Amino acid sequence: MNRLQRIAGHVNSGMAGQELYLGAQPTAAICSPEKSEDDVVICCAVRTPLCKARGAFKETAPELLLATVFKEVVTRTKVNPKDIGDIQIGNVLQPGASGLTSRMGQFIAELPYDIPLSTVNRQCSSSLQATANIAAFIKAGVIDVGLAGGVENMSMFPMMATIDITKLSAKILDYENAEACLLPMGLTSENVAAAYGIPREVQDAMAADSHKKALEAQKNGWFKEEIAPVTVETKNKDGTVKTQVVDMDSGPRAGVSREGLAKLKPAFKAGGSTTAGNSSQVTDGAAMILLARRSAAEKLGLPILARFRSFACVGVDPKLMGIGPAFAIPPALEKAGLKVEDVDIYEINEAFASQATMSIDHLKIPMEKVNPKGGAIALGHPLGATGARQIATLLPELKRQNKKLGVTSMCLGSGMGAASVIELE
């Protein structure tokens, strides 16, 4: 009982004066600065609408969400499924990282069984990691064309159901970092806010701006290009079935203001600054990306939208989990031969306003370059799908703004950060 109480009773303590070890080595570049027939290119990037948990997708199984984006990629690109060499899907909350149901989603989309599929769980970067893995396979010559994506139905598979603390070794309590992996994400947000002096007002300002930008993007139709509508069936109380087409994100809310957000109580710690209003929404959704070697894409007549320039993943202190983007973005940029100021748009996941603010401030990124269509506070954060979702959101916005270079990044549970650099064609 004492062990369980200790695990459940984590508090923010002992942050002052601690030094961070942030020396993880970045991965190699995927593409050189100059265009080449060996470039790894993105041929398509699409996503479902993002819907609040227990909302429109509450009865839509993950395999059905995946099937929608599988089909959309084939429809948009006219790729011959026989040319697809591999599939990787990111997922966090399902058993086995959705290995079985993702394969089912492939078949529901009528993709042939001879395309192999695997799944990956690297926490909130799972579908970005899947994208990087497929890119690496292409770079290494293992395949010429591949699919990468992610899915999460947090209505059906909630976060609290993923771990049974009664089955953990008591020895984790003897190792500070191992024990810190059990910290609720909200408490790591409080730690970041305390360690880096990020006040409640700044966090609420980011949250209000996230909704404002997302609503503007919806009003102007800036999400339409990236979204694949989903036909869903829900049961009414009388047992009848209702069919509807979902084609818009449900998270952005009108009327969200700094003044209104200031009235919300702290969600994770008495006297804290992290609230339901300045944290990412619990969300259902899926996303998919088709990648290929440039020479193969040209031979097969596939569209070429962008180059996947580089990827990096680093480890950080698990007690400060959210700072991951601040330390993943620099090595990703370094491998691409770029500097912070060279990038036109940053898609930085707003897991919490505290950590997103820290990352932006640490790298001195101008706010006008960050999440121009809103971030996860407004749109939601379907864990396993977010990495691919960010790419699907980034590409049309680069085109709309007539810009070239984009970065996607997020923090990862247990203390990591991941980032990619993408260049529009």
Side-chain angles (χ1 to χ4, degrees):
M1 180 59 70
N2 288 339
R3 171 170 162 260
L4 298 181
Q5 288 175 341
R6 183 176 172 187
I7 292 173
H10 281 290
V11 295
N12 178 18
S13 63
M15 301 305 304
Q18 289 191 9
E19 294 184 0
L20 301 177
Y21 175 72
L22 299 166
Q25 294 299 309
T27 54
I30 301 296
C31 295
S32 62
E34 299 77 25
K35 289 185 180 180
S36 163
E37 65 177 11
D38 290 326
D39 284 341
V40 177
V41 298
I42 296 173
C43 303
C44 185
V46 298
R47 66 175 180 90
T48 67
L50 303 184
C51 294
K52 296 179 185 178
R54 299 173 296 281
F57 291 158
K58 65 181 179 180
E59 297 176 13
T60 305
E63 56 269 25
L64 299 180
L65 295 174
L66 271 181
T68 297
V69 287
F70 273 133
K71 290 178 181 177
E72 188 72 13
V73 166
V74 174
T75 298
R76 292 193 185 192
T77 65
K78 305 295 189 290
V79 64
N80 184 341
K82 294 290 186 181
D83 292 323
I84 299 172
D86 202 356
I87 301 170
Q88 283 208 15
I89 301 298
N91 180 265
V92 179
L93 300 178
Q94 289 181 246
S98 81
L100 183 63
T101 56
S102 292
R103 182 76 163 158
M104 292 173 177
Q106 171 187 345
F107 296 150
I108 293 170
E110 299 184 338
L111 295 179
Y113 61 76
D114 51 357
I115 308 174
L117 179 147
S118 65
T119 57
V120 59
N121 180 355
R122 198 171 222 175
Q123 306 291 1
C124 302
S125 73
S126 293
S127 56
L128 178 58
Q129 184 65 58
T131 303
N133 289 351
I134 289 295
F137 280 9
I138 294 170
K139 179 78 172 177
V142 178
I143 60 174
D144 290 326
V145 181
L147 280 168
V151 65
E152 210 72 71
N153 188 308
M154 300 179 78
S155 299
M156 295 184 173
F157 300 92
M159 289 185 67
M160 299 305 294
T162 60
I163 188 167
D164 182 351
I165 60 174
T166 66
K167 295 179 181 178
L168 296 174
S169 167
K171 285 191 174 296
I172 65 172
L173 303 179
D174 298 331
Y175 299 89
E176 181 182 3
N177 286 335
E179 185 179 3
C181 290
L182 292 173
L183 273 170
M185 296 297 97
L187 285 184
T188 70
S189 172
E190 294 287 3
N191 288 342
V192 170
Y196 291 91
I198 301 168
R200 167 76 179 267
E201 295 77 16
V202 171
Q203 298 175 55
D204 287 345
M206 171 175 278
D209 288 346
S210 185
H211 283 277
K212 180 180 178 180
K213 290 185 288 186
L215 286 169
E216 182 183 11
Q218 282 188 329
K219 179 182 177 181
N220 292 323
W222 296 341
F223 288 121
K224 287 185 177 179
E225 183 177 342
E226 68 198 65
I227 290 178
V230 181
T231 300
V232 302
E233 293 183 349
T234 55
K235 292 182 180 178
N236 298 317
K237 292 182 179 179
D238 61 4
T240 60
V241 176
K242 176 184 177 182
T243 300
Q244 64 175 324
V245 175
V246 180
D247 60 3
M248 286 183 63
D249 302 319
S250 67
R253 300 193 308 276
V256 176
S257 67
R258 302 181 189 188
E259 294 76 16
L261 291 168
K263 297 176 182 178
L264 297 177
K265 295 181 179 181
F268 301 96
K269 174 187 173 184
S273 59
T274 300
T275 71
N278 57 36
S279 305
S280 58
Q281 298 184 38
V282 179
T283 308
D284 307 330
M288 192 70 61
I289 300 171
L290 181 69
L291 300 106
R293 180 176 290 102
R294 183 186 293 275
S295 58
E298 292 173 345
K299 178 181 178 181
L300 298 171
L302 299 175
I304 297 176
L305 306 182
R307 296 197 295 157
F308 192 81
R309 290 281 302 274
S310 68
F311 168 78
C313 188
V314 303
V316 300
D317 186 335
K319 294 185 292 299
L320 298 170
M321 176 277 306
I323 67 175
F327 299 96
I329 290 173
L333 290 174
E334 180 185 358
K335 289 300 177 183
L338 299 170
K339 298 179 180 179
V340 169
E341 56 268 28
D342 295 326
V343 176
D344 298 305
I345 296 175
Y346 287 85
E347 284 287 334
I348 297 177
N349 193 44
E350 298 166 351
F352 299 96
S354 62
Q355 56 79 212
T357 297
M358 179 274 166
S359 297
I360 294 163
D361 289 351
H362 182 81
L363 297 174
K364 297 179 173 58
I365 301 171
M367 274 304 301
E368 59 268 23
K369 290 186 175 185
V370 180
N371 300 344
K373 295 190 286 190
I377 291 173
L379 299 173
H381 178 25
L383 311 182
T386 285
R389 193 283 298 171
Q390 288 181 312
I391 294 173
T393 298
L394 172 67
L395 295 184
E397 186 63 12
L398 283 170
K399 182 172 69 174
R400 187 186 74 83
Q401 293 191 23
N402 195 28
K403 302 293 186 181
K404 295 287 288 184
L405 291 167
V407 163
T408 69
S409 188
M410 70 286 290
C411 58
L412 287 63
S414 74
M416 291 177 279
S420 73
V421 176
I422 293 168
E423 182 177 0
L424 197 71
E425 284 284 295

